[in-house]
């Protein structure tokens, strides 16, 4: 590795990781498509097996490369390659990345608001003489009037009830908010060079993240088995599961990142002056937290 | 501005050679070269597709292409040209030129930069693979909905739609990674003394482009994800039976789609004033006015999306709002046009190829802008919507305003990148052939559209024949003259007259203080801008 001093920007050495990740994604995507091809093309059922294998191989490649890539970045960081200048790049990069994630969730919130405010009431308000949705009331939460979808009849679930806000979701809100507190407490510990506080704070954060995910899994089970609330349950089911599902996926990623940061802290990484890795993960965790508040208010509560 | 630059002549390269150099590179120039090469290849691929379409449209009736394939070709042509030709070309310039222009050693996040590029070839494979698969009897070809993925057609379509969805995902990740890199580079890598209001205009254009990408590409990713779950997992986002609405997709798509227009154009608006000032030998007119106009256009572009589907059925207040806000964009755009013209006004102009393209670009892009104003009128749009008038309009903005702008940039910077001068005579010939053939291709389409010829239909009524024939012949001339462009680029890369460091007499900016071609590591010591 080239010698590196303050004021000279560190340009990392050539790397094959990005290329392999891209190939892995290509394999995952085409495998996924082929494994589902039989839904539209009856003669393509034989592609399901190979498609699934392509997905697995691709996913393994992507995950392995992400770990090696991040491992390389960590070793460069611990090797003192990143000074203030590089650190600032990472900070800006993380901020912009989180902004793009906000935009991604905005699409799904947009769909929720559109269905709730525009399309569901509109379907109910059609002229009764010209509509097939005569008895549809258009009240929220709605699973839609029912009708033909892709050639098969869709009947809204009969015993449907939405997820109540003041049970598990409220507890989950408390859990995520507390995890925001514990990760900040861990950060204070890091700044004071109190390693014990850092490790305990991170450990509690990870624990709260896992409890959140477990409760979320229980809630999904409850929804599917007792509430008639499934992914196929019309407007409410679609938005409920896509919003909470993508959020849960982000919590999972965040928890994995927190575990990595926890292990690094135990190993003695990070100093009070130099710990972007920690802060990047903390920012991400706070972002996931804020998205949850939006979910709690607009999906569960109102 | 005056510069004191210390160019590094560091010649020992610690990077792999051969294919591995390109697969693994973290160097902004290597990555920029890959972006530009990829873009040129995909430009030819997309051009080939549309020539098949034009050949079919040479006569009424069905001759060469069946309607299914016709639909696939127009949709994939658009996706290829927008996502894999025009956008990568702009990103390629950003990679090559931003670090040089702002005095940076490299892009801020080099490995991410490499990933941003290497996501593109897989995405291009996903887009075009269904054509090949169909030849082997797998599936029914590529996406046949047009590039807009409109539901419910896209919910019903075959596996080509899935391939396009994942292609868009990969392209989206690539754009987000590229944008992160560019924003961070501009914020964090400027030479000491280069304040934001001393930024080269190209950097401003790209900064706002990158913000737009960050704000809108994820929305597109979300929209096609909903499409995917509607197709395969039983959600009801776009189906009234479940309380959804096909028009929801149009809102989500065009929330991305309209800013996308400016994503394609803002980088060009960035470097075009630099070209104009170089060949007019006088400073850029109205730097601040241009920066503020770029911001205004960027901000307005995210609040006007529904003008793409005025005819779909919207409340009158919504129609009025989207009409007026769309028309409001013409105010800052007019400021830009004024500045561009004022920049060359009374300059001592010379007309090398980049300047020919630049001046032609002002005029042709002006036509694109003005015909857009016509389409923005709700009452008039009821007649123009989904006709060839729209096709002609957006080719004036995206081919003339986008691709011809990029060509100006290619000729402008090619000597800097390769260290050789391109063939000036051939360049001029390329410009005139392109400009004339372009107009002959698309002016007839304005009239066809006004006369009522719908877009995206492989057959047409007899009275449209002559104009379609003119258009088709001109399109083939336009396509074939691009081979001159390719030849000129390749021969320039291989050799030719040595280019000086400054290349152009009137050139201003940090990139011209470095040798041509610049050393592998650009500014290892940052220059100081006074």
């Amino acid at each position: 590795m080239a010698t590196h001093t303050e004021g000279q920007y560190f340009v990392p050495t050539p790397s094959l990781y990005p290329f392999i990740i891209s190939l892995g994604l290509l394999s995952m995507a085409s495998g996924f498509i082929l494994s589902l091809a039989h839904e539209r093309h009856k003669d393509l059922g034989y592609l399901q097996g190979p498609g699934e294998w392509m997905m697995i191989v691709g996913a393994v490649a992507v995950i392995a490369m992400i770990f090696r890539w991040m491992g390389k970045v960590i070793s460069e960081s611990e090797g003192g390659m990143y000074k203030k200048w590089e650190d600032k790049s990472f900070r800006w990069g993380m901020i912009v990345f989180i902004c793009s994630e906000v935009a991604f969730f905005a699409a799904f919130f947009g769909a929720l608001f559109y269905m709730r405010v525009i399309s569901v009431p509109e379907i109910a308000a059609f002229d009764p003489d010209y509509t097939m949705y005569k008895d549809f009331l258009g009240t929220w939460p709605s699973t839609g009037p029912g009708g033909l979808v892709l050639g098969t009849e869709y009947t809204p679930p009969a015993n449907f009830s939405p997820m109540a806000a003041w049970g598990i979701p409220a507890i989950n809100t408390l859990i995520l908010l507390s995890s925001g507190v514990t990760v900040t407490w861990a950060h204070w510990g890091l700044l004071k060079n109190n390693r014990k506080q850092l490790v305990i704070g991170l450990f509690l954060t990870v624990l709260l993240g896992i409890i959140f995910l477990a409760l979320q899994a229980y809630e999904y089970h409850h929804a599917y088995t007792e509430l008639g609330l499934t992914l196929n349950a019309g407007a409410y089911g679609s938005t409920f599961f896509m919003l909470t599902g993508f959020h849960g996926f982000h919590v999972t990623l965040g928890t994995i990142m927190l575990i990595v940061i926890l292990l690094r802290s135990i190993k003695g990484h990070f100093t009070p002056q130099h710990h972007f890795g920690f802060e990047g993960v903390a920012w991400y965790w706070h972002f996931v937290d804020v998205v949850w508040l939006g979910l709690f208010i607009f999906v569960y509560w109102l | 501005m005056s510069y004191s630059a210390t160019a590094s002549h560091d010649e020992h390269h610690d990077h792999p050679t051969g294919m591995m150099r390109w697969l693994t590179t973290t160097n902004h120039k290597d990555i920029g070269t890959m972006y530009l090469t990829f873009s040129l290849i995909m430009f030819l691929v997309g051009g080939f597709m549309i020539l098949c379409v034009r050949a079919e449209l040479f006569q009424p009736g069905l001759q060469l292409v069946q309607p299914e394939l016709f639909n696939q070709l127009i949709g994939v042509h658009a996706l290829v040209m927008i996502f894999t030709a025009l956008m990568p070309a702009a990103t390629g310039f950003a990679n090559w030129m931003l670090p040089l222009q702002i005095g940076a050693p490299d892009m801020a996040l080099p490995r991410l930069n490499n990933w941003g590029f290497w996501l593109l070839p897989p995405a291009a494979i996903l887009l075009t693979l269904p054509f090949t698969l169909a030849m082997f009897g797998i599936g029914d070809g590529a996406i046949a909905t047009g590039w807009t993925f409109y539901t419910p057609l896209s919910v019903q379509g075959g596996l080509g739609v899935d391939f396009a969805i994942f292609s868009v995902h990969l392209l989206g990740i690539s754009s987000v990674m590229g944008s992160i890199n560019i924003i961070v580079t501009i914020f964090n890598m400027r030479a000491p003394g280069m304040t934001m209001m001393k930024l080269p205009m190209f950097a401003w254009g790209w900064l706002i482009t990158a913000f737009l990408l960050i704000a809108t590409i994820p929305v597109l990713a979300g929209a096609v994800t909903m499409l995917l779950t509607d197709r395969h997992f039983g959600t009801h986002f776009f189906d009234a039976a479940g309380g959804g609405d096909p028009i929801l997709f149009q809102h989500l798509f065009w929330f991305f789609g309209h800013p996308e227009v400016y994503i394609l154009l803002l980088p060009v608006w960035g470097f075009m004033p630099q070209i104009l000032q170089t060949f007019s030998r006088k400073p850029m007119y109205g730097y601040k006015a241009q920066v503020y106009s770029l911001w205004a256009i960027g901000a307005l572009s995210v609040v006007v999306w529904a003008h793409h589907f005025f005819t779909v059925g919207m409340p009158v207040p919504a129609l009025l709002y989207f009409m007026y806000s769309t028309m409001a964009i013409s105010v800052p755009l007019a400021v830009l046009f004024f500045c561009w013209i004022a920049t060359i006004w009374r300059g001592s102009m010379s007309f090398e190829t980049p300047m020919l393209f630049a001046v032609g670009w002002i005029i042709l892009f002006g036509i694109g802008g003005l015909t857009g104003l016509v389409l923005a009128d709700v009452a008039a749009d009821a007649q123009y919507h989904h006709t060839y008038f729209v096709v002609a309009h957006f080719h004036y903005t995206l081919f003339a305003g986008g691709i011809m702008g990029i060509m100006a940039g290619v000729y402008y910077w090619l000597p800097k990148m390769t260290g050789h001068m391109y063939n000036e005579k051939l360049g001029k010939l390329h410009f005139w052939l392109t400009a004339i053939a372009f107009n002959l291709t698309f002016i007839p389409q304005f009239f066809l559209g006004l006369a009522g010829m719908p877009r995206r239909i492989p057959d047409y009524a007899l009275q449209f024949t002559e104009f379609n024939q003119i258009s088709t012949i001109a399109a083939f001339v336009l396509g074939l003259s691009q081979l001159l462009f390719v030849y000129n680029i390749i021969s320039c890369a291989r050799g030719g007259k040595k280019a000086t460091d400054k290349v152009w007499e009137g050139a201003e900016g940090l990139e011209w203080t470095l040798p041509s071609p610049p050393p592998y590591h650009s500014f290892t010591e940052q220059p100081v801008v006074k």
Side-chain angles (χ1 to χ4, degrees):
Chain A
M1 230 168 272
T3 49
H4 175 240
T5 50
E6 187 87 50
Q8 251 197 357
Y9 201 75
F10 172 68
V11 178
T13 48
S15 160
L16 205 52
Y17 305 143
F19 178 70
I20 299 176
I21 290 182
S22 303
L23 285 189
L25 288 173
L26 175 65
S27 175
M28 277 170 80
S30 29
F32 183 81
I33 296 162
L34 295 180
S35 70
L36 289 175
H38 61 91
E39 288 189 9
R40 293 290 187 287
H41 311 273
K42 296 277 171 274
D43 56 323
L44 294 182
Y46 66 93
L47 286 174
Q48 193 172 353
E52 280 163 5
W53 272 109
M54 285 171 76
M55 279 168 73
I56 293 169
V57 171
V60 168
V62 169
I63 292 168
M65 285 305 119
I66 289 177
F67 267 86
R68 294 197 56 180
W69 185 346
M70 294 304 123
K72 177 108 175 144
V73 173
I74 291 168
S75 76
E76 280 166 2
S77 173
E78 292 302 307
M81 292 297 146
Y82 300 142
K83 302 283 194 297
K84 279 208 180 70
W85 198 6
E86 292 83 1
D87 196 64
K88 216 173 151 193
S89 286
F90 286 135
R91 279 160 198 278
W92 274 116
M94 193 66 196
I95 291 170
V96 180
F97 174 69
I98 289 176
C99 289
S100 79
E101 290 269 50
V102 171
F104 181 76
F105 276 98
F108 290 91
F109 275 109
L112 170 67
F113 297 148
Y114 184 95
M115 285 164 137
R116 185 170 177 170
V117 178
I118 298 177
S119 73
V120 167
E122 206 172 71
I123 293 167
F126 286 143
D127 185 335
D129 290 337
Y130 297 100
T131 177
M132 50 205 269
Y133 308 124
K134 274 198 190 57
D135 305 320
F136 182 53
L137 291 175
T139 47
W140 193 263
S142 172
T143 51
L148 270 186
V149 178
L150 286 172
T152 48
E153 185 69 23
Y154 160 69
T155 3
N159 57 343
F160 166 80
S161 60
M163 190 60 71
W166 297 106
I168 291 177
I171 296 170
N172 264 347
T173 308
L174 271 181
I175 289 174
L176 271 196
L177 287 179
S178 337
S179 76
V181 173
T182 51
V183 80
T184 307
W185 187 67
H187 191 199
W188 289 347
L190 175 55
L191 290 178
K192 287 182 298 193
N193 215 3
N194 182 346
R195 308 292 300 188
K196 207 170 150 195
Q197 185 179 336
L198 166 68
V199 172
I200 293 174
L202 276 175
F203 180 76
L204 287 176
T205 315
V206 170
L207 199 66
L208 289 167
I210 292 172
I211 295 174
F212 173 90
L213 285 170
L215 285 176
Q216 197 74 350
Y218 171 78
E219 184 191 85
Y220 275 19
H221 179 75
H222 174 61
Y224 261 80
T225 52
E226 285 157 58
L227 298 181
L229 171 56
T230 66
L231 188 60
N232 306 348
Y236 187 86
S238 305
T239 48
F240 176 84
F241 279 104
M242 291 298 273
L243 273 164
T244 57
F246 270 116
H247 177 263
F249 174 66
H250 281 75
V251 174
T252 313
L253 286 184
T255 308
I256 295 171
M257 282 152 62
L258 280 169
I259 292 172
V260 173
I261 295 303
L262 172 63
L263 295 177
R264 286 185 65 187
S265 302
I266 293 171
K267 266 181 111 177
H269 291 191
F270 305 126
T271 64
Q273 295 79 30
H274 182 83
H275 53 265
F276 164 73
F278 178 94
E279 275 188 86
V281 173
W283 293 348
Y284 194 79
W285 194 250
H286 288 311
F287 151 72
V288 169
D289 212 353
V290 171
V291 172
W292 174 262
L293 288 181
L295 286 178
F296 182 70
I297 294 169
F298 293 111
V299 177
Y300 291 98
W301 184 11
L302 295 180
Chain B
M1 265 189 257
S2 64
Y3 309 105
S4 62
T6 340
S8 150
H9 293 271
D10 179 2
E11 278 302 320
H12 73 277
H13 301 166
D14 50 351
H15 56 80
T17 52
M19 196 58 201
M20 281 307 271
R21 166 178 174 188
W22 302 102
L23 294 184
T24 62
T25 183
T26 47
N27 180 283
H28 73 100
K29 297 190 203 79
D30 283 355
I31 296 173
T33 305
M34 291 197 294
Y35 265 110
L36 289 168
T37 313
F38 174 78
S39 153
L40 187 61
I41 293 169
M42 295 313 286
F43 175 55
L44 298 178
V45 171
F48 173 75
M49 288 176 185
I50 210 59
L51 287 183
C52 297
V53 168
R54 279 316 318 173
E56 169 57 43
L57 290 171
F58 187 69
Q59 284 180 312
L62 297 178
Q63 294 89 30
L64 300 167
V65 199
Q66 287 308 300
E68 293 78 18
L69 182 57
F70 184 93
N71 288 343
Q72 294 168 18
L73 286 171
I74 52 166
V76 180
H77 158 75
L79 288 167
V80 162
M81 286 302 200
I82 290 168
F83 285 103
T84 65
L86 205 40
M87 286 170 76
T91 318
F93 279 147
N95 266 296
W96 245 104
M97 288 304 155
L98 275 184
L100 301 188
Q101 288 195 333
I102 65 174
D106 202 299
M107 295 293 276
L109 303 160
R111 266 194 294 248
L112 204 64
N113 201 11
N114 175 297
W115 191 36
F117 172 76
W118 279 111
L119 280 164
L120 291 178
I125 291 171
L126 286 178
L127 260 187
T128 48
L129 188 66
F131 286 119
T132 324
L133 289 180
M135 286 178 202
F136 294 99
I138 300 172
D140 52 4
I143 184 170
T145 64
W147 82 288
T148 51
F149 293 83
Y150 273 8
T151 50
L153 186 56
S154 55
V155 178
Q156 295 156 358
L159 54 73
V161 179
D162 294 323
F163 273 102
I165 287 172
F166 281 105
S167 177
V168 162
H169 275 138
L170 294 194
L171 292 163
I173 302 173
S174 162
S175 294
V176 169
M177 295 308 138
S179 304
I180 290 175
N181 223 330
I182 285 165
I183 292 173
V184 176
T185 303
I186 293 173
F187 280 173
N188 195 29
M189 308 292 284
R190 298 190 311 273
M194 182 175 279
T195 56
M196 287 303 270
M197 284 319 267
K198 281 184 189 170
L199 266 188
M201 194 57 78
F202 181 51
W204 270 118
W206 242 115
L207 184 64
I208 297 161
T209 304
F211 282 140
L212 289 178
L213 280 165
I214 292 294
T216 64
I217 283 271
V219 176
L220 175 68
V224 294
T225 305
M226 292 177 214
L227 177 58
L228 187 77
T229 56
D230 263 23
R231 283 169 58 79
H232 294 295
F233 304 113
T235 56
H236 295 98
F237 286 105
F238 308 124
D239 202 306
D245 187 350
I247 297 169
L248 167 60
F249 184 85
Q250 302 192 12
H251 282 285
L252 289 170
F253 181 86
W254 287 110
F255 181 80
F256 147 81
H258 193 73
E260 172 70 10
V261 176
Y262 297 98
I263 287 162
L264 296 167
L265 294 177
L266 279 164
V268 179
W269 299 349
F271 66 71
M272 206 50 91
Q274 298 177 343
I275 296 181
L276 292 170
Q277 75 172 5
T278 296
F279 295 98
S280 309
R281 292 165 182 78
K282 66 196 259 288
M284 186 183 302
Y285 184 90
Y287 175 88
K288 276 187 185 165
Q290 290 190 43
V291 171
Y292 297 148
S293 298
L294 293 177
W295 273 110
I297 292 171
L300 281 171
S301 75
V302 284
V303 295
V304 299
W305 70 91
H307 66 225
H308 290 268
F309 46 98
F310 276 150
T311 56
V312 82
M314 256 183 278
V316 172
L319 291 175
L320 288 176
Y321 161 73
F322 282 112
M323 173 169 79
Y324 290 133
S325 56
T326 303
M327 288 182 170
I329 292 182
S330 57
V331 177
L333 189 53
V335 173
L336 284 180
F337 266 95
F338 177 80
C339 291
W340 298 332
I341 294 168
T343 298
I344 58 175
W345 185 257
R346 294 193 161 183
S348 38
M349 283 191 273
S350 58
F351 292 92
E352 288 87 345
T353 312
M355 184 61 163
L356 282 178
F357 269 99
V359 174
W361 171 87
I362 295 182
I363 298 165
L364 295 177
F365 178 54
I367 297 174
L370 289 172
T371 50
L373 208 48
V374 177
L375 288 167
D377 185 310
V378 171
D381 184 70
Q383 184 187 348
Y384 301 149
H385 184 79
H386 218 274
T387 68
Y388 260 86
F389 189 89
V390 180
V391 175
H393 155 69
F394 68 68
H395 280 92
Y396 268 86
T397 57
L398 296 186
F399 188 92
I403 301 264
M404 286 178 73
I406 293 287
M407 285 170 177
V410 169
Y411 284 112
Y412 183 57
W413 281 318
L414 202 54
K416 173 53 69 184
M417 298 186 213
T418 62
H420 307 290
M421 296 305 289
Y422 57 86
N423 184 332
E424 188 66 50
K425 259 196 194 134
L426 220 53
K428 283 183 173 151
L429 181 66
H430 171 230
F431 166 73
W432 285 111
L433 279 173
T434 303
I436 293 169
F438 168 75
N439 279 299
L440 283 177
T441 308
F442 291 102
I443 288 176
Q445 296 186 5
F446 278 125
F447 292 108
L448 286 169
L450 290 175
M453 180 172 160
R455 24 180 325 209
R456 294 174 168 163
I457 310 281
D459 193 3
Y460 51 81
L462 283 181
Q463 70 267 28
F464 300 136
T465 310
E466 284 82 2
F467 274 167
N468 267 301
Q469 292 187 333
I470 298 172
S471 184
T472 295
I473 293 168
F476 272 86
V477 176
L478 181 60
L480 291 176
S481 43
Q482 302 320 311
L483 298 179
L484 286 179
F485 183 48
V486 177
Y487 172 79
N488 212 347
I489 291 174
I490 293 174
S491 53
C492 175
R494 290 181 141 195
K497 210 179 103 206
K498 280 295 268 173
T500 59
D501 290 1
K502 209 178 171 194
V503 184
W504 313 107
E505 188 192 28
E508 285 279 345
L510 280 180
E511 77 260 43
W512 309 106
T513 63
L514 287 175
S516 307
Y520 194 70
H521 299 289
S522 317
F523 291 101
T524 32
E525 302 258 338
Q526 286 203 299
V528 177
V529 180
K530 283 169 200 137

